[in-house]
């Protein structure tokens, strides 16, 4: 229980730090990329601690999978509530760019900020583990140099798994993006938790390139190119397919709708009918 208390304090610190940056930055839309940095920092820092509870707490602390899933769901709910439209997910920023909702420079700054936030979160988590506040964190600190990879299958199987999960998530995200946050945030958190649970033995379904970078890219077992194939290229592919299915086209690339055809509601009268009316 003491381990969970320490983790709770760590979660609160991450939320307070991210929230204190999000609030003032809302006044300056041009600095939205800094909001993405704080959002990515909060998400990766909290998910690193959740990963610690899963890897160490389940066998050293006697915590069951139901506890870890509940913690993950709570983290995603709080992240969505605090950060709002700033998801800390490069794929979501790319969707805004492809839909003509964001400029190229703003998108590049957002992507760079998200990966920077993920790297800063890794440094913060490593410092927190080095304090060894509990037995769980002492064990994690000893294991830090030899972390366990989240990719438990071949890169091809991982590509398929991560791509399908990304397709489902982004399709739901596109359908719910105009809905109230009271609907959008819980639905997104529940879906991400569910996908993470069912893909636990495959890729853990991060569906977020910067999150995967922070959680598993530095673990041994696969090359950087293999990790990039599974956790970067696959989610991008799933995202593009979801956007194509949702809109029928990709506005940034081509305007012609490939899947859906809009019929005009009114038809102009034919010439023969006009002549009959005149007679």
């Amino acid at each position: 229980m003491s381990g969970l208390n320490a983790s709770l304090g760590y979660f609160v610190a991450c939320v307070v730090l991210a929230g204190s940056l999000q609030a003032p930055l809302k006044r300056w839309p041009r600095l939205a990329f800094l909001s993405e940095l704080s959002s990515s920092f909060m998400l990766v820092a909290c998910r690193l601690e959740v990963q610690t509870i899963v890897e160490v707490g389940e066998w050293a602390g006697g915590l069951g999978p139901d506890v870890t899933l509940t913690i993950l769901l709570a983290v995603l709910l709080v992240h969505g509530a605090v950060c709002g439209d700033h998801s800390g997910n490069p794929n979501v920023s790319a969707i805004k760019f492809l839909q003509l909702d964001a400029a190229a420079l703003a998108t590049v700054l957002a992507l760079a900020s998200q990966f920077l936030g993920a790297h800063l979160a890794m440094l913060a988590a490593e410092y927190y583990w080095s304090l060894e506040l509990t037995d769980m964190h002492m064990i994690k600190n000893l294991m830090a140099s030899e972390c366990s990879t989240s990719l438990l299958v071949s890169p091809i199987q991982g590509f398929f798994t991560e791509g399908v999960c990304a397709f489902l998530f982004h399709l739901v995200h596109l359908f719910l993006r105009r809905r109230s946050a009271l609907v959008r945030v819980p639905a997104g958190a529940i879906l991400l938790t569910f996908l993470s649970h069912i893909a636990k033995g495959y890729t853990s379904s991060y569906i977020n390139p910067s999150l995967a970078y922070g959680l598993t890219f530095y673990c041994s077992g696969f090359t950087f190119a293999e990790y990039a194939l599974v956790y970067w290229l696959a989610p991008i592919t799933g995202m593009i397919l979801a956007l194509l299915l949702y809109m029928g086209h990709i506005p940034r690339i081509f305007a012609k709708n490939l899947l859906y055809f809009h019929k005009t509601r009114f038809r102009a009268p034919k010439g023969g009918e006009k002549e009959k009316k005149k007679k």
Side-chain angles (χ1 to χ4, degrees), residues 250-262:
I250 301 177
R252 181 68 66 175
I253 301 177
F254 49 86
K256 183 179 179 181
N257 198 310
L258 302 179
L259 299 180
Y260 311 115
F261 300 95
H262 301 284

Side-chain angles (χ1 to χ4, degrees), residues 239-255:
M239 176 266 292
I240 292 176
L241 291 176
L243 181 60
L244 188 61
L245 179 63
Y246 177 76
M247 299 190 67
H249 68 121
I250 301 177
R252 181 68 66 175
I253 301 177
F254 49 86

